[in-house]
Amino acid sequence: MENLEPTNKIEQGKSDKNSGPLIIFIVTFILVVIAFWQFSGEKTEKRAMDASELIKQEPVTPVPSQTESQEDQQALSDLPVRDNRSDNLLVNTQEVVIEKKATIVLPKLDESDLWIEDKLPELTWRNELLSLLITEDIIRRFVVFTDNFSQGLLAYEHSVFIQPTVKFAVDEQSPSTELDGEQKVFKWDKETSKRFDVYVDLLRSVDSTTLVHWYVDMKPLIDEAYKELGYEDDFTYTLQQAIDRVLDMEIPKSSMDVNRSSVMYKYQDPALEALDDSDKLLLRIGKENLLIIKSVLLDINEKLAKPINDR
């Protein structure tokens, strides 16, 4: 239609005979356009709706042309991206930083000791206490000891720590009661729990976040060692069972007297003596040390739960 006015102006000086065919042509063209619009209007409208829906589903961020100035490009990049579906402003795309985690190249299980030893100083600020660790077959020791502990058993030969040099002791100065002329009941020497202090200090000095990251990184080697024991399930659940055993343990308020009818001391209270070996170890650690261990393991357990839920 925009071409009609200029055309009429150009043809204004011509005779009616010459303008007649042109007018007929224009009228015919308009009628054809009107008829086409009437018969195809619904399809055209539907295509327009489909296109608009497609635009809503897949918003397109405008890309500045090469001819735009750097200032215009910067101004465009600073604009927040609008989500057409909810009409909410999203975070600026420049503020979204995706960190690509470095690929960890793990050694073979049989060759993992030296690899772990090199990393141990990164784990704690009390490096002088690392001498408490047994650095031979570390992963297998950790897996076997944890598996046994979760079942209430103690596999000392597979412990990752050297055993305390100070042995369990009773208070020889405390009053004792003689039973049947053979057994004597002794008060438990609470000072004997201090032999575990250095182990607790090492655990307390460990950075829990780093420790959990290590665990996740070394999980393939841990799973390999766990499968060697004949298991097919996830070792992390066994580890959490062991942690839960510690968290659920409570030191009894009653006196933990012991007797000695043979080489080994036994608890005078039948309920304490009936406890699993792992629980008896927690009793010997002492209340103060157990509370510290619980605090550390609770933090570790919460961080361990996140990788599990993400899998």
Side-chain angles (χ1 to χ4, degrees), residues 189-224:
D189 186 3
K190 295 183 179 179
E191 293 296 315
T192 193
S193 295
K194 292 185 177 181
R195 63 197 175 121
F196 296 103
D197 287 357
V198 289
Y199 300 91
V200 176
D201 288 342
L202 174 58
L203 180 61
R204 184 166 50 179
S205 69
V206 168
D207 182 80
S208 59
T209 300
T210 301
L211 182 62
V212 172
H213 286 169
W214 278 21
Y215 176 79
V216 174
D217 290 341
M218 293 188 292
K219 191 64 164 46
L221 298 180
I222 294 173
D223 288 340
E224 181 180 348

Side-chain angles (χ1 to χ4, degrees), residues 55 57 93 97 107 119 122 128-129 143 151 179 182 220 232 252 254 275 283 294:
I55 293 175
Q57 293 177 1
T93 54
V97 179
K119 295 170 64 68
E122 305 173 9
E128 73 278 7
L129 298 180
V143 169
Q151 302 176 56
L179 299 177
E182 297 180 358
E232 295 296 334
S254 59
L275 291 174
L283 291 181
K294 283 186 176 186

Side-chain angles (χ1 to χ4, degrees), residues 200 250-251 285-296:
V200 176
E250 298 292 340
I251 299 294
I285 287 176
K287 181 178 180 179
E288 291 76 13
N289 284 334
L290 182 58
L291 289 176
I292 296 174
I293 293 175
K294 283 186 176 186
S295 177
V296 175

Side-chain angles (χ1 to χ4, degrees), residues 83-111:
D83 186 350
N84 291 328
R85 289 169 295 180
S86 59
D87 201 33
N88 293 328
L89 293 179
L90 302 179
V91 180
N92 191 310
T93 54
Q94 288 187 341
E95 296 179 358
V96 179
V97 179
I98 301 176
E99 296 182 359
K100 184 177 181 181
K101 185 177 180 182
T103 303
I104 303 298
V105 180
L106 295 175
K108 295 181 179 179
L109 179 59
D110 292 335
E111 302 171 356

